[in-house]
Amino acid sequence: MAYSDKAKDFYKSELSGMHKAGTFKEERFIESPQAANISVEYPVGSPPKEVLNFCANNYLGLSSHPEVVKAAHEGLDSRGYGMSSVRFICGTQDIHDKLEKKLSEFLGTEATVLFASCMDANAGVFDVVLGKEDAMISDRLVHASIVDGMRLCKAQLYNYKHSNMDHLEEKLKETQDCRFRMIITDGVFSMDGDIAKLDKIVELAKKYDAMVMVDDSHATGFMGKNGRGTHEHCGVLGEIDIITTTLGKALGGASGGCVSGPKEIVDLCRQRARPYLFSNTVPPVIITAANKVIDLISKTTDRRDKLEENTKYFREKITTSGFDIKEGVHAIVPIMLYNAKLAQDMARDMYSEGIYVIGFSFPVVAKGQARIRVQISAGHEKEHLDKAIAAFTKVGEKYKILGKGKKEIIEMYGY
Ligand SMILES: *Cc1c(COP(=O)(O)O)cnc(C)c1O
């Protein structure tokens, strides 16, 4: 083995640097299914504690829904555990095709191709549809998986200031000579819960003859009246060229992702997208469960309606309790604390109060923008929300930040 002390020392010092900087990400062990109520072993080795979960992407509360679990069992029993193949060799079952068709219908697109994850969908799609004669023009705050996907593509890279339509227009003017241009954005941005201005983006795309690609991972299943996503919410259903999204959040939360859009693009992805060609097929148990999820959310909007109601209720109550939140309508509710240590300390105290939330600070968000990111779910009941609000109020009082805005909190705690 050529693993030298020099290398070992280097890796160890990298890790201890993270511990010192407070950026080391610790994992907590959950000893129950994913749900509003979970049992958590934290710190590791301590007896499990029952807490309310406010940090999962389980927006529709479907991660452990009995009908979804049942559909997964049925998939396991009827189609086995694994396929031991990529799609194009012997890894495609009829249920894969059925799910792809259902996803297209739900998203309002022509065709869909599944990937092992949305990360893989984003890693594959750009290189398939764009070449060096083309330009990718992305929002500056797009998800890391888009950043990586763009790196794997030879098209010229441009970006515009977050949600700044004037700046986007400038970039569209700058790139007039390219063969194809693609505007690239998240539908909902994960740290602030803010929504891309898709109506304006589509308008600019038409004016400048550009395509639009949206990663709707934080929206598919619940944004818009029928939960179709950000494009429905913004009134541009059928006008987005490419949608990528995940099965790993609202849609049952297991894993899997897709590229959805015009038939030619989807067909080309099947031929050329490298993560599709060279990585295993999504297993049958996930496919049958995801098929059930799409059926459930197509039949009724009850779950997304409940999520909307829960979100509205929580946003109102937490604001009247005196917290400074990022305004909006999304189930991601950032409670702004600005100071990294304050965010960590408050998250720890919330845990003692039986509420599981996480503090986010640099480098996950900009310096001086530390926060606790609360995520609401349709799996939460009113009493859960009330318990969280009461706990936040108690902890907020302890740190004397209730009724205080950015300036005052920074005066008290610094950045
Ligand atoms: C969560 C997320 C992903 C990753 O999805 P996976 O299916 O877990 O790989 C990609 N893009 C965005 C915007 C996300 O929020």
Side-chain angles (χ1 to χ4, degrees):
M1 188 161 117
Y3 184 47
S4 65
D5 284 348
K6 188 172 148 196
K8 192 185 184 79
D9 290 346
F10 173 76
Y11 302 134
K12 281 169 88 173
S13 77
E14 289 287 292
L15 287 165
S16 68
M18 291 175 201
H19 280 292
K20 264 184 223 138
T23 59
F24 187 86
K25 294 174 283 300
E26 253 182 294
E27 295 179 0
R28 293 120 171 117
F29 297 166
I30 294 174
E31 302 187 353
S32 61
Q34 186 60 280
N37 281 295
I38 52 172
S39 170
V40 185
E41 183 185 323
Y42 180 70
V44 168
S46 57
K49 178 180 157 96
E50 299 293 318
V51 293
L52 293 175
N53 192 358
F54 279 87
C55 54
N57 299 312
N58 184 16
Y59 293 115
L60 294 174
L62 292 173
S63 303
S64 312
H65 188 281
E67 285 196 54
V68 177
V69 174
K70 183 162 162 264
H73 279 297
E74 284 165 8
L76 188 60
D77 291 342
S78 65
R79 300 307 177 95
Y81 171 62
M83 287 300 292
S84 303
S85 172
V86 298
R87 284 287 294 274
F88 78 93
I89 299 178
C90 55
T92 301
Q93 293 173 320
D94 56 334
I95 50 176
H96 290 84
D97 180 64
K98 193 167 135 194
L99 177 59
E100 287 172 340
K101 292 202 163 86
K102 260 186 211 176
L103 281 166
S104 306
E105 197 180 320
F106 187 76
L107 297 170
T109 53
E110 265 178 35
T112 298
V113 51
L114 289 165
F115 284 75
S117 66
C118 186
M119 172 102 198
D120 273 359
N122 289 336
V125 67
F126 301 111
D127 186 44
V128 169
V129 294
L130 301 173
K132 55 180 187 307
E133 318 87 316
D134 307 321
M136 304 179 281
I137 309 173
S138 77
D139 188 288
R140 281 189 187 166
L141 290 191
V142 290
H143 191 261
S145 57
I146 293 182
V147 174
D148 285 8
M150 293 190 301
R151 273 196 215 153
L152 294 169
C153 170
K154 293 187 182 65
Q156 296 153 48
L157 191 51
Y158 295 81
N159 60 55
Y160 59 95
K161 292 177 197 156
H162 178 51
S163 279
N164 185 323
M165 295 298 108
D166 292 336
H167 199 216
L168 169 58
E169 184 159 16
E170 258 177 56
K171 298 291 157 184
L172 286 163
K173 284 181 181 155
E174 248 176 73
T175 51
Q176 301 266 27
D177 293 338
C178 293
R179 182 184 60 168
F180 303 136
R181 273 101 44 84
M182 187 177 284
I183 305 169
I184 297 162
T185 183
D186 290 13
V188 171
F189 293 87
S190 61
M191 281 301 137
D192 285 355
D194 60 323
I195 297 161
K197 297 168 182 162
L198 289 189
D199 47 343
K200 305 263 171 43
I201 289 175
V202 165
E203 207 178 293
L204 284 171
K206 283 181 183 158
K207 184 169 165 194
Y208 290 93
D209 190 25
M211 294 185 260
V212 181
M213 180 276 188
V214 176
D215 177 342
D216 228 10
S217 292
H218 279 287
T220 302
F222 60 97
M223 291 300 287
K225 275 279 158 278
N226 298 290
R228 294 180 198 283
T230 312
H231 55 333
E232 185 183 30
H233 177 85
C234 294
V236 289
L237 209 60
E239 301 198 60
I240 304 301
D241 298 288
I242 299 177
I243 296 170
T244 62
T245 192
T246 183
L247 304 177
K249 292 191 167 98
L251 303 184
S255 66
C258 67
V259 170
S260 198
K263 187 168 181 311
E264 316 68 58
I265 287 180
V266 167
D267 286 349
L268 267 184
C269 282
R270 287 188 206 279
Q271 299 304 314
R272 291 195 186 145
R274 295 170 68 83
Y276 182 81
L277 291 175
F278 301 113
S279 188
N280 209 24
T281 191
V282 183
V285 2
I286 291 180
I287 300 297
T288 52
N291 263 311
K292 172 57 76 177
V293 166
I294 304 295
D295 288 347
L296 288 174
I297 64 176
S298 302
K299 206 161 55 190
T300 159
T301 60
D302 286 359
R303 294 200 154 251
R304 58 94 38 221
D305 296 345
K306 184 175 174 200
L307 174 62
E308 189 171 74
E309 233 171 78
N310 280 354
T311 300
K312 200 159 167 255
Y313 181 81
F314 183 85
R315 281 180 169 274
E316 273 169 23
K317 294 276 170 178
I318 202 79
T319 304
T320 50
S321 304
F323 283 96
D324 173 19
I325 67 166
K326 291 256 183 199
E327 273 174 42
V329 297
H330 195 268
I332 291 170
V333 186
I335 299 186
M336 298 308 295
L337 300 164
Y338 307 101
N339 176 284
K341 182 162 185 305
L342 178 63
Q344 303 307 337
D345 289 348
M346 280 186 58
R348 194 175 320 109
D349 287 357
M350 287 297 291
Y351 187 80
S352 304
E353 297 294 325
I355 308 294
Y356 186 17
V357 286
I358 298 281
F360 289 88
S361 53
F362 184 78
V364 182
V365 294
K367 279 214 166 94
Q369 288 287 309
R371 67 197 60 190
I372 288 176
R373 181 180 72 169
V374 173
Q375 288 174 285
I376 306 298
S377 168
H380 291 136
E381 302 302 333
K382 268 266 160 60
E383 75 233 36
H384 298 148
L385 302 174
D386 286 335
K387 195 169 168 223
I389 291 154
F392 265 115
T393 307
K394 182 173 166 193
V395 173
E397 261 164 18
K398 173 177 163 188
Y399 291 92
K400 302 189 165 48
I401 58 160
L402 295 185
K404 306 260 165 59
K406 177 175 180 177
K407 192 164 160 278
E408 294 154 295
I409 296 175
I410 290 170
E411 270 170 19
M412 289 167 70
Y413 290 95
Y415 272 112

